[in-house]
Amino acid sequence: MESVRREKVAALLKSQAGRKVLAKGWVRTKRGNKNVAFTALNDGSTIHNIQIVCEMSRFTDEMMRPVTTGACIGVTGTLVESQGSGQNVEILADEITVYGTADTSYPLQKKGHSLEFLREIAHLRPRTNTFGAVLRIRHAMAFAIHKFFNDKGFYYLHTPLITASDAEGAGAMFQVTCLDLQNPPKKEDGTIDYSKDFFARHTNLTVSGQLEGETGALALGEIYTFGPTFRAENSNTPRHLAEFWMVEPEMAFYEIEDNMDLAEEFIKYLVKYALDNCMDDLQFLNDMFDKELITRLQSVISTEFARISYTEGVKILENSGRKFEFPVYWGADLQSEHERYLVEEHFKKPVIMTDYPKDIKAFYMKVNPDNKTVRGMDVLFPKIGEIIGGSQREENYEKLQNRIKELGMNADSLWWYMDTRKFGSAPHSGFGLGFERLLLFVTGMSNIRDVIPFPRTPKSAEF
Ligand code: 4AD
Ligand code: MG
């Protein structure tokens, strides 16, 4: 069997009939009669299956018995033009090798399992059409992110996952420790002595690579990070994960307007990349889950995002006559219901909102001359709400130090960050794109647990 080179199903389906081929993959379905058996084979290279035709004059029932849904097989045969509809070519089998059988306890026997059920078998769900499509799109988007920045001369900077600082000042962090939790070393005042811990200090998993990213931007000019980030907020929503991937570009000499331009160009590039490169998978998701998916993607790349200030946004919401669950007033942190009203009902397109009250935003944002608002920006998307959060950074040493004091933050562990303002500081800006939020938009899936292979959420870390 091995004399013919294995080809992937995606390539076979596009190639010319009339030659010997070898395909390997997992059986999706099998049907037939006493004369012929039809097996749909999928190897993950495409949403489409290749049909394997076994004439029962060549195969015995015994040979076909282990070829069941879920089994892994290799097939040699002739690629022939298909007699049936739905495919151009199929494989007329000479020989089948069974690599791994799957008995009737294989959970993906039938089509049409609920997404909730599939979350309970996250180790097998990549073998479904839906998760095959989502995971291929996830890969394509990761690749496109690197391509976008590489083509623009940005450098990929690897920022640490273990850190002693809280970049967002939000306190929702997972602690990292090697101390004996039953019997931790104590200081004289009875508090835990972290100087005895592995890193000789209190450490956490990072909530954002931004602070280290800024040190990169103030040396290399334009950088981006792309890695996992961790938040221990107890939010059980369809848009929050405890472990999610974030893309964080950071650019020297960018003002807030340049930052907005880059964010808009970036998202449009990614959506266009998906439309240009993932159409088979998008079409499947469009047909199965969200009939407006492809139209929505096309409309985003052809419309200019609305740009409004927080103050204008609050006025629109106050004048909307709408009863919201959470009240709207100047100073309130906008909720997803408010964001979605602005995007889906008022503007009917993505919105970039800027100049938020400083009290609801992180310490590093540049304060406006009004001393009330900061140069922050959120990009708000239909169905998702906030997809990007970013800002121009405070580059002035004294102003930043006062802000840290004002917020009662621990300035000591940020000495290295403050040094960037002390030595050759520069205006700079950046933002963070939630990778899974982007994927929610691009795939049309409605729960963030369904766009990452192994979701981490409160009370759930199996697999
Ligand atoms: O708005 P956030 O908290 O901003 C930052 O972390 C900044 N340091 C980014 C920067 O300026 N470099 O998070 C950025 C984005 C959000 O807009 C959202 O898309 C996503 O990260 N995000 C989450 N995605 C999934 N689950 C969560 N729990 C998320 N929290 C934030
Ligand atoms: Mg935010």
Side-chain angles (χ1 to χ4, degrees):
M1 158 174 269
E2 300 296 335
S3 57
V4 190
R5 196 174 49 88
R6 178 211 165 201
E7 290 170 76
K8 293 199 185 180
V9 170
L12 288 171
L13 288 175
K14 284 191 207 128
S15 72
Q16 283 294 323
R19 59 198 180 86
K20 289 279 178 210
V21 295
L22 167 59
K24 298 181 181 181
W26 292 267
V27 173
R28 285 292 174 85
T29 55
K30 188 174 74 171
R31 65 188 171 85
N33 52 43
K34 61 181 185 327
N35 301 321
V36 62
F38 299 103
T39 301
L41 191 73
N42 189 282
D43 67 357
S45 60
T46 159
I47 188 97
H48 302 297
N49 304 325
I50 194 158
Q51 178 157 277
I52 312 298
V53 181
C54 297
E55 289 173 342
M56 296 312 286
S57 50
R58 285 182 189 223
F59 291 84
T60 62
D61 283 345
E62 200 178 332
M63 288 157 82
M64 291 309 290
R65 202 165 295 126
V67 182
T68 58
T69 297
C72 184
I73 63 171
V75 184
T76 45
T78 310
L79 193 70
V80 296
E81 274 173 36
S82 179
Q83 307 297 307
S85 60
Q87 64 272 322
N88 294 325
V89 291
E90 59 195 19
I91 298 175
L92 185 59
D94 295 330
E95 196 185 325
I96 292 186
T97 305
V98 177
Y99 297 117
T101 57
D103 66 19
T104 50
S105 67
Y106 179 63
L108 298 171
Q109 296 291 345
K110 291 189 304 253
K111 286 186 182 172
H113 290 296
S114 73
L115 294 170
E116 289 77 10
F117 171 72
L118 293 176
R119 270 172 229 148
E120 292 168 15
I121 50 164
H123 59 305
L124 292 175
R125 67 180 182 169
R127 296 196 198 171
T128 63
N129 282 332
T130 300
F131 285 89
V134 167
L135 293 177
R136 280 186 295 272
I137 293 171
R138 187 179 166 107
H139 162 80
M141 290 295 89
F143 179 78
I145 284 163
H146 288 299
K147 177 157 171 54
F148 176 83
F149 286 123
N150 183 64
D151 289 354
K152 279 192 174 302
F154 283 54
Y155 300 108
Y156 182 26
L157 185 78
H158 295 105
T159 50
L161 298 191
I162 300 175
T163 160
S165 50
D166 177 1
E168 291 303 298
M173 296 187 293
F174 290 102
Q175 190 179 336
V176 176
T177 182
C178 292
L179 293 179
D180 176 3
L181 294 181
Q182 301 297 335
N183 186 25
K186 298 263 176 75
K187 291 193 284 198
E188 272 175 18
D189 63 4
T191 59
I192 293 179
D193 185 2
Y194 285 103
S195 70
K196 303 262 160 45
D197 205 346
F198 189 92
F199 297 108
R201 73 201 67 216
H202 189 271
T203 52
N204 311 287
L205 293 178
T206 189
V207 296
S208 156
Q210 178 193 321
L211 303 191
E212 290 88 354
E214 286 183 54
T215 72
L218 295 176
L220 297 166
E222 293 163 339
I223 63 93
Y224 68 106
T225 71
F226 183 12
T229 48
F230 307 86
R231 300 206 180 169
E233 27 182 353
N234 200 4
S235 345
N236 238 319
T237 82
R239 284 180 308 278
H240 288 88
L241 290 165
E243 176 181 298
F244 64 99
W245 287 63
M246 197 171 10
V247 187
E248 295 184 275
E250 191 71 34
M251 300 74 65
F253 318 119
Y254 271 53
E255 308 270 333
I256 186 77
E257 290 79 15
D258 309 311
N259 205 24
M260 289 192 266
D261 291 345
L262 183 74
E264 183 166 344
E265 184 190 346
F266 180 44
I267 299 197
K268 286 178 170 169
Y269 176 93
L270 297 177
V271 172
K272 183 170 188 307
Y273 189 93
L275 286 167
D276 290 346
N277 295 278
C278 308
M279 203 33 130
D280 282 1
D281 290 322
L282 289 175
Q283 190 66 57
F284 173 82
L285 296 170
N286 186 94
D287 297 345
M288 287 296 291
F289 295 103
D290 181 351
K291 297 279 182 283
E292 268 136 47
L293 174 62
I294 291 174
T295 322
R296 198 181 313 115
L297 297 180
Q298 281 160 343
S299 100
V300 157
I301 56 176
S302 58
T303 44
E304 212 169 296
F305 296 3
R307 298 187 181 191
I308 59 164
S309 70
Y310 168 90
T311 304
E312 289 164 330
V314 167
K315 275 199 200 112
I316 295 170
L317 291 165
E318 282 174 337
N319 296 335
S320 68
R322 181 64 66 94
K323 267 253 166 295
F324 294 107
E325 190 187 338
F326 293 89
V328 186
Y329 54 91
W330 200 96
D333 203 356
L334 297 185
Q335 304 293 322
S336 127
E337 56 171 341
H338 307 130
E339 296 171 344
R340 293 185 60 174
Y341 174 84
L342 291 170
V343 172
E344 290 164 27
E345 297 183 50
H346 187 84
F347 288 101
K348 299 192 166 59
K349 56 174 162 173
V351 172
I352 310 184
M353 191 180 272
T354 56
D355 302 292
Y356 286 81
K358 66 176 181 182
D359 294 336
I360 58 169
K361 288 293 182 188
F363 74 97
Y364 49 71
M365 295 194 184
K366 188 176 173 70
V367 181
N368 278 314
D370 66 11
N371 201 28
K372 282 191 339 202
T373 58
V374 286
R375 289 198 190 174
M377 58 169 224
D378 279 2
V379 181
L380 313 177
F381 254 54
K383 293 193 68 182
I384 314 260
E386 180 189 336
I387 194 166
I388 280 180
S391 74
Q392 183 165 348
R393 318 305 188 190
E394 182 55 74
E395 82 265 24
N396 179 284
Y397 184 89
E398 279 75 32
K399 286 185 187 166
L400 186 58
Q401 192 156 51
N402 288 338
R403 193 81 187 104
I404 289 173
K405 272 201 207 114
E406 209 169 273
L407 291 165
M409 292 172 58
N410 174 10
D412 296 348
S413 65
L414 287 174
W415 67 271
W416 53 274
Y417 184 69
M418 296 309 293
D419 265 6
T420 59
R421 273 58 172 180
K422 203 192 273 177
F423 306 120
S425 189
H428 63 289
S429 300
F431 61 80
L433 167 75
F435 187 49
E436 286 77 18
R437 300 250 177 116
L438 170 83
L439 288 170
L440 280 177
F441 182 72
V442 172
T443 62
M445 301 301 284
S446 47
N447 194 312
I448 201 161
R449 292 164 180 77
D450 298 331
V451 294
I452 187 166
F454 298 103
R456 296 286 175 262
T457 52
K459 300 198 167 42
S460 157
E462 217 169 337
F463 312 106

